[in-house]
Amino acid sequence: MAGKAIRGPAKGNLAANGSGGDANGQAGTIRQRNVDKILKAAESVFAKKGFAGASTAEIARKAGVPKANLHYYFRTKQDLYASVLDAILEVWLDALQEIQPDADPATALGNYITRKMAASQHSPEPSRLWAIEVIGGARHVQPFLRNRLRRLVKEKSTVIEGWITAGKIKPVDPAHLLFMIWAMTQTYADFAAQIAAVLGKNSLDDKVFAAGSETIRSLILNGLGAKTKIRR
């Protein structure tokens, strides 16, 4: 699972991106386009080779930019890796905002599961990169795990405990509930090859993700005794 890992792209003179020093909207667009291409390429290379095995030269080639341009935006491989992790985490943390005190538990948890599964389906490489990082000891994200994520899990645990106290769901350990949802949803990205092989498919399609989403929602919501409100 899953805030800010480290630093983002390096700031500098926009003339280096070929805009001739024109710091207007066009220059900003060029900069953002280059950064997006580099981050997408880095995400893919890091997911396959990890931090140690990846090189900025390979990432630059995959992004279709000169290596010097890559290092203009990201001074070191560490800076680039940090920015890739940061982008992954922000998507996951944003999904956690579904869990709010005044939300219907079934709707909130159902939406959260749906969003996590959508991330696994449409952006599997970030999840695989995260898995590699954590399995390797989470050296680059320990501060985030022990600080921001820990605080956020405590915050969302308080919300879930409030639902339990109000009789909206059955008693459950809130932190472990979140761990289970992370594990269930992210396995469709991290172990997609295994799931596809067992199902006799070349890759996971919409049908597989729909069935997986429904199964996870059913297990979680039925286990908690949470019922979605029927709108009239």
Side-chain angles (χ1 to χ4, degrees), residues 95-108:
L96 263 177
Q97 297 313 310
E98 295 285 349
I99 301 175
Q100 299 293 337
D102 58 351
D104 168 54
T107 301

Side-chain angles (χ1 to χ4, degrees), residues 28-40:
T29 299
I30 293 171
R31 179 189 182 93
Q32 191 58 53
R33 186 185 307 129
N34 288 339
V35 168
D36 289 345
K37 285 196 302 183
I38 293 168
L39 286 174
K40 189 67 178 175

Side-chain angles (χ1 to χ4, degrees), residues 78-152:
Q78 173 74 22
D79 288 339
L80 178 54
Y81 189 64
S83 292
V84 171
L85 290 175
D86 196 55
I88 295 168
L89 299 173
E90 287 304 327
V91 171
W92 288 349
L93 293 181
D94 184 63
L96 263 177
Q97 297 313 310
E98 295 285 349
I99 301 175
Q100 299 293 337
D102 58 351
D104 168 54
T107 301
L109 292 172
N111 288 345
Y112 180 51
I113 291 167
T114 296
R115 290 179 66 176
K116 289 289 278 95
M117 283 293 280
S120 288
Q121 179 176 10
H122 301 297
S123 301
E125 287 185 328
S127 182
R128 292 169 193 155
L129 171 56
W130 182 257
I132 290 173
E133 168 66 20
V134 174
I135 290 170
R139 182 167 65 90
H140 299 88
V141 294
Q142 278 293 336
F144 162 74
L145 296 176
R146 294 184 178 277
N147 294 292
R148 188 177 176 190
L149 183 59
R150 188 178 181 186
R151 289 195 301 271
L152 189 57

